[in-house]
């Protein structure tokens, strides 16, 4: 019988202080026990319970369309040239809760440049594995599978956007998106797509899963914005997971507190319309 190690392996990395919040990180138990990963169910504890069956090795990532160096790559080849960094980021979920997570990863921009996007490439689209045998949540029509997310190319090239392969110094547990997931800290958590199998450069804006399923509720940009409420709830405050007072809420910051870095990407745009 094939046995798979369920103990995440440690990684070698350097701390990136410039891009880390001094806030206290959530515990390992919180970060790996309270998740959104609808491929394994819609409950917060479903991913930790069911994602163990996902096989993350071997893993292939296809990079294609508007780039000069497309191909099909083994995960190891995707990762090889990139030194790993630890970055402690806030994650603000669209459901008005937040966490602080010590990710291990590398700049998405460094990976994108290797594949030489053409002058027609305006967006980057990411796709999660589609395999209902391993991902039981995909047997239900909660979303139009596979999960698709996207960024404008200039957003994807911003140094805060990373691809993560670990957290808390170890390889990503499956429930957090092993073996490769996006982390875009100034956007609502749903943009940070998990278990990526395809990265595609496109001229047209990608048709992303949440925007397709509920266009009035979830836009393409999904920048954290306390001034634009979700149609069914306010985005002005958030609950920090693990806080001793369950009712305590803190103000949500524009761009999740990363405005000094990223607001310039949206100069001149009406962010209430392009939410
Ligand atoms: N990626 C996929 N493929 N499927 C999902 O359901 N959920 C998103 C995002 N990435 C999701 C996904 C949402 S809503 C959030 S808040 C974050 O993952 C949660 O990441 P975490 O569980 O690692 O904290």
């Amino acid at each position: 019988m094939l046995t798979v190690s369920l103990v995440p392996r440690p990684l070698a990395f350097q701390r990136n202080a410039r891009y880390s919040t001094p806030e206290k990180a959530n515990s390992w138990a919180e970060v790996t026990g309270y998740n959104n990963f609808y491929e394994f169910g819609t409950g917060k504890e479903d991913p930790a319970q069911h994602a163990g069956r996902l096989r993350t090795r071997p893993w292939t990532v296809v990079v294609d369309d508007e780039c000069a160096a497309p191909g099909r790559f083994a995960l190891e080849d995707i990762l090889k040239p990139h030194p790993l960094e630890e970055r402690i980021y806030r994650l603000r979920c669209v459901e008005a809760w937040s966490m602080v997570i010590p990710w291990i990863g590398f700049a998405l921009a460094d990976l994108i440049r290797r594949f030489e996007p053409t002058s027609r490439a305006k967006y980057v689209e990411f796709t999660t594995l589609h395999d209902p045998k391993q991902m039981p949540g995909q047997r239900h029509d909660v979303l139009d599978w596979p999960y698709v997310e996207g960024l404008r190319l200039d957003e994807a090239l911003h140094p805060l956007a990373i691809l993560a392969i670990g957290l808390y110094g170890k390889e990503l547990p499956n429930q957090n998106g092993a073996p490769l997931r996006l982390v875009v800290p100034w956007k609502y958590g749903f943009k940070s797509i998990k278990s990526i199998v395809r990265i595609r450069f496109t001229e047209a804006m990608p048709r992303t899963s949440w925007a397709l399923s509920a266009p009035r509720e979830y836009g393409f940009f999904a920048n954290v914005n306390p001034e634009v409420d979700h149609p069914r709830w306010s985005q002005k405050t958030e609950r920090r997971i693990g806080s001793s007072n369950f009712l305590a809420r803190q103000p949500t910051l524009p761009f999740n507190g990363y405005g000094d870095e990223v607001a310039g990407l949206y100069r001149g745009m009406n962010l209430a319309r392009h939410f």
Side-chain angles (χ1 to χ4, degrees):
M1 200 179 99
L2 184 70
T3 53
V4 181
S5 164
L6 292 177
V7 181
R9 282 176 295 187
L11 297 165
F13 60 89
Q14 288 212 313
R15 157 74 64 85
N16 183 324
R18 165 151 159 53
Y19 285 137
S20 289
T21 168
E23 288 163 281
K24 186 173 177 294
N26 279 91
S27 68
W28 170 267
E30 286 156 359
V31 172
T32 65
Y34 187 93
N35 301 99
N36 273 333
F37 198 170
Y38 277 23
E39 285 82 344
F40 295 101
T42 54
K44 302 297 174 215
E45 287 162 21
D46 288 338
Q49 220 180 338
H50 303 298
R53 72 176 80 178
L54 175 67
R55 268 180 289 108
T56 59
R57 298 289 193 284
W59 191 268
T60 307
V61 180
V62 171
V63 182
D64 62 351
D65 278 9
E66 292 296 342
C67 62
R72 217 185 145 78
F73 303 90
L75 178 70
E76 292 67 26
D77 294 329
I78 285 277
L79 303 184
K80 210 184 301 163
H82 302 287
L84 296 177
E85 284 186 352
E86 179 181 66
R87 297 176 178 211
I88 306 177
Y89 279 169
R90 283 181 291 275
L91 178 136
R92 169 58 159 82
C93 185
V94 74
E95 297 162 329
W97 51 264
S98 62
M99 284 205 210
V100 173
I101 303 178
W103 300 110
I104 310 287
F106 55 91
L108 173 61
D110 290 346
L111 178 119
I112 287 178
R113 293 206 175 92
R114 272 171 63 194
F115 297 104
E116 304 169 38
T118 69
S119 57
R120 278 194 297 276
K122 299 285 184 292
Y123 296 90
V124 193
E125 179 189 274
F126 303 85
T127 308
T128 294
L129 178 70
H130 188 208
D131 183 355
K133 278 206 197 73
Q134 296 193 74
M135 296 178 141
Q138 290 178 336
R139 296 175 209 155
H140 308 278
D141 290 340
V142 271
L143 283 175
D144 197 7
W145 309 110
Y147 196 104
V148 171
E149 259 311 333
L151 297 171
R152 223 169 49 192
L153 186 59
D154 60 335
E155 298 179 308
L157 291 173
H158 191 281
L160 276 172
I162 59 169
L163 285 168
I165 66 160
L167 57 83
Y168 267 115
K170 299 183 197 132
E171 285 185 335
L172 282 177
N174 289 354
Q175 60 266 38
N176 293 92
L180 184 69
R181 62 92 55 86
L182 185 65
V183 181
V184 194
W186 69 95
K187 293 180 180 277
Y188 290 119
F190 69 85
K191 299 296 282 185
S192 292
I193 181 173
K194 298 177 170 184
S195 305
I196 296 167
V197 292
R198 186 176 182 195
I199 300 174
R200 192 177 154 230
F201 298 96
T202 66
E203 193 167 8
M205 183 181 275
R207 293 160 62 77
T208 56
S209 295
W210 284 104
L212 273 177
S213 83
R216 285 187 53 254
E217 302 189 13
Y218 309 105
F220 174 81
F221 285 96
N223 293 315
V224 174
N225 190 344
E227 298 307 319
V228 176
D229 288 340
H230 184 280
R232 290 183 280 134
W233 58 82
S234 164
Q235 294 292 24
K236 284 205 179 353
T237 63
E238 64 202 55
R239 179 171 65 88
R240 179 62 53 84
I241 297 300
S243 137
S244 52
N245 175 359
F246 187 83
L247 295 175
R249 303 190 73 83
Q250 60 188 69
T252 285
L253 301 172
F255 300 107
N256 199 22
Y258 299 94
D260 286 351
E261 259 93 23
V262 301
L265 291 170
Y266 309 101
R267 203 161 285 133
M269 273 175 74
N270 176 344
L271 295 181
R273 208 157 79 84
H274 300 284
F275 59 87

